[in-house]
Amino acid sequence: MAAIFPLHYAGCVWYWQQLMPHREVIFDRHHFFQKQSYHNRCYIAGPNGKQLLSIPTAGSNFKRPFCEIEISYSENWQKIHWNAIKAAYGSSPFFEYYDHLLEPFYKKQVRFLADFNLQFTEWLMQQLKLKPVYHLSESMAKGHSEKDYRTLFTAKKEPEISFERYPQVFEHKFGFIPNLSVLDTLFNQGPTAISCFR
């Protein structure tokens, strides 16, 4: 039985911890979009501490399926996000290993948030060497509670679990900040990042 997951923007460590054990995954693109969720936001550790990166959306999103949510380009959020990522991780051990692969996501314009998140997630799975069989929902997926992860993750409250520690660029200033975007783990740990999800 396939596990059902939402499509997040550069998902947090907890998201990847839950996804990693599953051999088959359904990414549900038809559940309702939730404001202030990981659908369009992620957190990184920047020079001033924990930093929010949020993708703006166009129009009213009230009770609309996630697959219909369009990205707004009225402001240059791509430049803002990319500059923030460079400021946060430019001195990290593996930034130069991944930056040229990641930067194109902040150059091209993708109309729908679900498509952008899927492309980003596919790229992250490649870097993390994860190879689940995955499908895209053709309608709102019907799940069983033990394998339905669509409502598990919330940006409003941190999970009450412990996370594997690893060196972070600004740890000397702020201490270890857990459960950031997987980009934090990737830039700091490189090919061994997946070990932080076990």
Side-chain angles (χ1 to χ4, degrees), residues 4-72:
I4 305 173
F5 278 81
L7 278 167
H8 288 174
Y9 170 38
C12 63
V13 168
W14 191 30
Y15 176 91
W16 290 94
Q17 281 181 335
Q18 302 306 309
L19 189 147
M20 187 180 69
H22 296 287
R23 296 183 178 180
E24 187 175 1
V25 172
I26 296 173
F27 289 122
D28 189 352
R29 302 182 305 143
H30 292 83
H31 61 283
F32 290 133
F33 175 75
Q34 297 175 340
K35 290 185 176 181
Q36 299 183 349
S37 72
Y38 286 119
H39 286 124
N40 67 324
R41 62 175 55 196
C42 69
Y43 292 91
I44 61 174
N48 297 310
K50 188 175 181 179
Q51 181 176 353
L52 167 67
L53 302 181
S54 180
I55 299 176
T57 57
S60 172
N61 299 320
F62 181 68
K63 289 190 176 180
R64 290 178 63 195
F66 181 53
C67 60
E68 296 180 5
I69 304 301
E70 297 187 39
I71 297 174
S72 172

Side-chain angles (χ1 to χ4, degrees), residues 132-162:
V133 174
Y134 66 89
H135 317 279
L136 302 179
S137 63
E138 297 181 2
S139 60
M140 186 176 290
K142 296 180 180 179
H144 298 273
S145 58
E146 69 272 13
K147 288 198 173 184
D148 189 344
Y149 294 86
R150 286 172 292 188
T151 60
L152 179 64
F153 313 100
T154 173
K156 298 178 182 179
K157 183 181 179 181
E158 286 293 332
E160 296 179 359
I161 59 174
S162 60

Side-chain angles (χ1 to χ4, degrees), residues 92-102 123 127 129 186-187 190-191:
S92 65
F94 294 95
F95 184 75
E96 292 183 355
Y97 186 83
Y98 297 109
D99 66 334
H100 64 289
L101 301 172
L102 183 64
W123 182 79
Q127 309 316 310
K129 304 295 190 294
L186 199 61
F187 286 134

Side-chain angles (χ1 to χ4, degrees), residues 44-53 81 83-91 168-175 177 180 184:
I44 61 174
N48 297 310
K50 188 175 181 179
Q51 181 176 353
L52 167 67
L53 302 181
H81 286 207
N83 285 342
I85 289 169
K86 288 192 294 184
Y89 302 111
S91 62
Q168 294 176 325
V169 176
F170 298 103
E171 188 173 359
H172 63 287
K173 293 176 64 177
F174 307 108
I177 304 176
L180 296 171
D184 185 84

Side-chain angles (χ1 to χ4, degrees), residues 11 58 108 158 198:
K108 62 181 178 180
E158 286 293 332
R198 301 186 189 284

